[in-house]
Amino acid sequence: MKYLTQIRYGFLPFLLCSVYLLQPVQCSASEALWKAASVSVVITPEENLWMAGYGGRTAPADGKIHDLWMKVLVIEARDGHRGVIVSTDTLGIPQSIYNNVCAALKEKYKLERSQIMLNSSHTHCGPVLRGALHDIYPLTPEHIKQIETYSTKLEQQLVDAVGKAIKELEPATLWTGTGLTSFAVNRRNNVEAEVPGLRKAHDLKGPVDHSVPVLAVKDKEGQLKTLVFGYACHNTTLGIQKWCGDYAGFAQYDLEAMFPGVTAMFYMGCGADQNPLPRRTQELAESYGSRLAHAVADTVRLPMVELDPELKTEIEITDIKLGDAPTKADLEKIAAGNPKSYVTRWGTRLLKELNDGKTFITSYPFPVQVWLLGKTQLWITIGGEVVVDYSLGMKKEFGPNTWVAGYCNDVMAYTPSLRVLEEDVPPRKSSRWGYEGNTSMMVYGLPANRWSDEIEDKIVESARRQVEKIRHGKQAPASLK
C-alpha cells in the first residue's frame, strides 16, 4: 500500500492554518477542569560518555554548549484519566528504558503503557544509552559500564519527575494551534551543497512537513505554564563533541527566555528523511532554534483552540517482520572488512552470535500509540526514526486536527514508508537513496538490512484501529495490547 505518498503536499499548510486560526471556545478560568503540572530535570552526563548519532566519531564528548534536559508534563482529564508526556534531549529512548519506565510507572502510579508518551528530540549531541548503537563505536567494557550507570539513573530521574508532577497537579486549561517554519529540507531529494541555490530558486524537491504543532497549558488565572511543540526535522545541525540539544535545544531555551516561568518541551515529528540545511555551525543551530521558537510564540499569541477536559489513550505493540537476515557467508565477508568500521563491528558481532548457536530475531515489537485530547485533537506516535510520508498521509486520512510524532517510546531503527523501501532497493535511481530503507538497520544493530514490505501497512492499520476505537468506541483485539 502506498496511499501515504498519493497526496498534494502544498495543500496541507494552508488547511492546517485555516483550522487553527478559528476563534477559541470561551470559558472562565474558574471552569477549568483539566489538571496539569510540568517538571524539568537536567540530564547532562557528569562523565564524558560516548555521543550518539554519528558513526564517524572517534572519541567521547569533551564538554557542553548547554545542558541537556528531560521534561515531564502530566495532564489529567475531568474523569481523572492521566497522560504523561516526556521530552528528552536524547537520540532515542531504547526498548529497555521504555519497558523499565512503563513497569515502574504502572507499579507506583497505576499508569498504563497507553498513558505514557516518551519523546526523543534526536539530538546527535546527546549520550549513547543502554543497548542502543553499541556497534557504532569502539566501546570498551568500561564505556559500557558508564553507559549502563547513566541509563539506570535516567530511568529513575524520569520516574521521579512523573511522581513530582503528579503531586503538583493543579487546575488548568489546554489549547492547541499550529505554526509554520521552513528550514527542514528533504535530504533524499536535494544535494546538501545545492540547497542554498535551490532555496533562492524555490526549487527544493521532495515531501516535507513544515507545520509546528503547539499544545499550550495555562493555569486557572490564564497564565501560560507549559508549551509542547513539534517539528519534523533531524536534529543534525551540529556534529561537535559537546553536549547540546541542537536546534531543538536552542528553541526550548529561547522560548523559556521569551516566556519566563514557562516550561518548553520539544517533540520530534516525522523527520527521518529531513535535514536542517545548510548546517554544521552553532550559529545555524541557534538560528533554526530561534525560527522555531518564534513560530511557536506567534502561534501562542494568536487565538488558539481550547480543548475540552477529555483524554482517551490507546496503544498497540505490533510485531513487524524484518527483511531477510544476512547469511553466514555474508557476515564472514563483512567481518573481514575494516576493523574501524561500524559495519565490520556489526557483522563480527552477528557472526559470533551465529557461531554460538543463537537465533536471529525475525520480527520486532513495534509501538504505535493514539491519544485524543478534547473532542477533536488526535495525537499519533510511532516508534523509530519515521519518514515524513506517515505524517502527511495520516493527516490526510484522519483530518487536519492530527499530530504525528516519530521517535516515540522505542527508537529501534528507521521507520520507512513503502515508497522509501522501494526506492532504496538496488539498482537505485538516485545516489541520494539507499540508507533510510536499506542499510540503516546496521547502525541500530538489528540482524537485517531492512524491514519487510509489510511495515507501512502494519503501522497504518494499527493507527486506524486505535483511531476507530477512540472516536467510536470500537474495541481493538486484546492480543494487540
Side-chain angles (χ1 to χ4, degrees), residues 43-184:
I43 59 169
T44 313
E46 296 174 359
E47 298 180 283
N48 287 331
L49 304 182
W50 278 85
M51 304 178 78
Y54 293 117
R57 284 194 167 112
T58 58
D62 60 13
K64 71 176 180 180
I65 299 297
H66 57 222
D67 276 319
L68 306 179
W69 292 85
M70 173 175 62
K71 299 171 183 178
V72 172
L73 170 64
V74 176
I75 57 175
E76 182 178 296
R78 178 195 291 119
D79 63 1
H81 190 58
R82 291 172 176 166
V84 175
I85 302 163
V86 181
S87 69
T88 61
D89 290 328
T90 63
L91 187 86
I93 298 294
Q95 184 187 69
S96 69
I97 292 179
Y98 175 52
N99 287 341
N100 289 349
V101 165
C102 286
L105 291 179
K106 182 170 185 177
E107 179 182 355
K108 290 194 170 192
Y109 306 112
K110 303 193 184 312
L111 291 163
E112 297 297 330
R113 194 176 287 256
S114 69
Q115 297 171 265
I116 301 161
M117 184 187 294
L118 302 188
N119 298 290
S120 305
S121 75
H122 200 57
T123 176
H124 283 46
C125 293
V128 173
L129 298 176
R130 177 199 306 126
L133 310 177
H134 284 195
D135 290 331
I136 297 188
Y137 310 111
L139 302 179
T140 66
E142 181 60 27
H143 292 145
I144 294 173
K145 181 179 178 182
Q146 290 174 334
I147 291 167
E148 174 63 34
T149 298
Y150 176 84
S151 299
T152 300
K153 180 180 178 181
L154 183 70
E155 291 176 357
Q156 190 59 54
Q157 287 175 308
L158 202 164
V159 173
D160 291 346
V162 172
K164 183 178 180 183
I166 288 173
K167 290 179 182 178
E168 295 177 359
L169 287 170
E170 61 181 11
T173 54
L174 270 59
W175 307 76
T176 63
T178 296
L180 293 170
T181 193
S182 60
F183 58 84

Side-chain angles (χ1 to χ4, degrees), residues 315-349:
I315 196 168
E316 290 184 2
I317 308 296
T318 303
D319 271 353
I320 298 180
K321 294 177 183 177
L322 305 180
D324 292 339
T327 65
K328 184 175 182 179
D330 293 334
L331 293 175
E332 287 173 342
K333 183 176 180 180
I334 292 170
N338 181 356
K340 294 183 179 180
S341 167
Y342 74 82
V343 176
T344 304
R345 286 192 288 269
W346 173 78
T348 300
R349 177 179 57 81

Side-chain angles (χ1 to χ4, degrees), residues 34-35 40 51 105 129 155 201 208 242 250 254 266 272 300 324 413:
W34 285 98
K35 290 183 180 179
S40 300
M51 304 178 78
L105 291 179
L129 298 176
E155 291 176 357
V208 295
K242 299 185 185 300
F250 286 112
D254 283 357
F266 172 84
V300 171
D324 292 339

Side-chain angles (χ1 to χ4, degrees), residues 110-406:
K110 303 193 184 312
L111 291 163
E112 297 297 330
R113 194 176 287 256
S114 69
Q115 297 171 265
I116 301 161
M117 184 187 294
L118 302 188
N119 298 290
S120 305
S121 75
H122 200 57
T123 176
H124 283 46
C125 293
V128 173
L129 298 176
R130 177 199 306 126
L133 310 177
H134 284 195
D135 290 331
I136 297 188
Y137 310 111
L139 302 179
T140 66
E142 181 60 27
H143 292 145
I144 294 173
K145 181 179 178 182
Q146 290 174 334
I147 291 167
E148 174 63 34
T149 298
Y150 176 84
S151 299
T152 300
K153 180 180 178 181
L154 183 70
E155 291 176 357
Q156 190 59 54
Q157 287 175 308
L158 202 164
V159 173
D160 291 346
V162 172
K164 183 178 180 183
I166 288 173
K167 290 179 182 178
E168 295 177 359
L169 287 170
E170 61 181 11
T173 54
L174 270 59
W175 307 76
T176 63
T178 296
L180 293 170
T181 193
S182 60
F183 58 84
V185 175
N186 191 304
R187 71 186 192 185
R188 293 173 58 83
N189 295 87
N190 301 278
V191 177
E192 184 170 333
E194 298 175 359
V195 165
L198 292 171
R199 280 192 184 279
K200 288 181 181 179
H202 304 286
D203 197 27
L204 289 169
K205 305 293 195 301
V208 295
D209 182 358
H210 286 155
S211 63
V212 181
V214 180
L215 175 68
V217 180
K218 301 180 182 180
D219 67 15
K220 61 183 179 182
E221 281 79 37
Q223 294 298 308
L224 188 63
K225 302 295 288 184
T226 306
L227 286 169
V228 183
F229 63 101
Y231 192 54
C233 183
H234 250 78
N235 253 316
T236 52
T237 322
L238 299 174
I240 56 177
Q241 293 299 111
K242 299 185 185 300
W243 305 121
C244 182
D246 207 281
Y247 77 77
F250 286 112
Q252 291 171 88
Y253 274 101
D254 283 357
L255 282 166
E256 291 179 356
M258 285 187 234
F259 301 99
V262 167
T263 300
M265 303 172 57
F266 172 84
Y267 75 84
M268 179 61 73
C270 299
D273 51 352
Q274 314 290 309
N275 270 357
L277 296 177
R279 57 179 180 159
R280 305 185 194 285
T281 70
Q282 184 174 330
E283 290 76 15
L284 283 169
E286 292 175 356
S287 174
Y288 296 147
S290 177
R291 288 167 62 177
L292 180 55
H294 279 86
V296 174
D298 289 346
T299 302
V300 171
R301 291 171 181 137
L302 290 169
M304 299 182 77
V305 176
E306 187 174 9
L307 297 175
D308 293 315
E310 301 173 11
L311 175 66
K312 297 179 181 178
T313 60
E314 291 291 328
I315 196 168
E316 290 184 2
I317 308 296
T318 303
D319 271 353
I320 298 180
K321 294 177 183 177
L322 305 180
D324 292 339
T327 65
K328 184 175 182 179
D330 293 334
L331 293 175
E332 287 173 342
K333 183 176 180 180
I334 292 170
N338 181 356
K340 294 183 179 180
S341 167
Y342 74 82
V343 176
T344 304
R345 286 192 288 269
W346 173 78
T348 300
R349 177 179 57 81
L350 291 182
L351 181 61
K352 183 178 185 306
E353 290 180 5
L354 199 62
N355 289 335
D356 289 345
K358 293 184 179 180
T359 303
F360 295 149
I361 62 170
T362 58
S363 64
Y364 194 91
F366 194 99
V368 180
Q369 181 178 35
V370 178
W371 285 13
L372 181 64
L373 296 89
K375 291 183 170 61
T376 58
Q377 184 61 62
L378 276 178
W379 195 349
I380 300 171
T381 81
I382 303 173
E385 297 197 43
V386 187
V387 299
V388 75
D389 291 350
Y390 287 92
S391 175
L392 299 174
M394 287 183 178
K395 289 177 184 179
K396 179 176 173 62
E397 175 166 356
F398 301 125
N401 289 349
T402 303
W403 298 341
V404 188

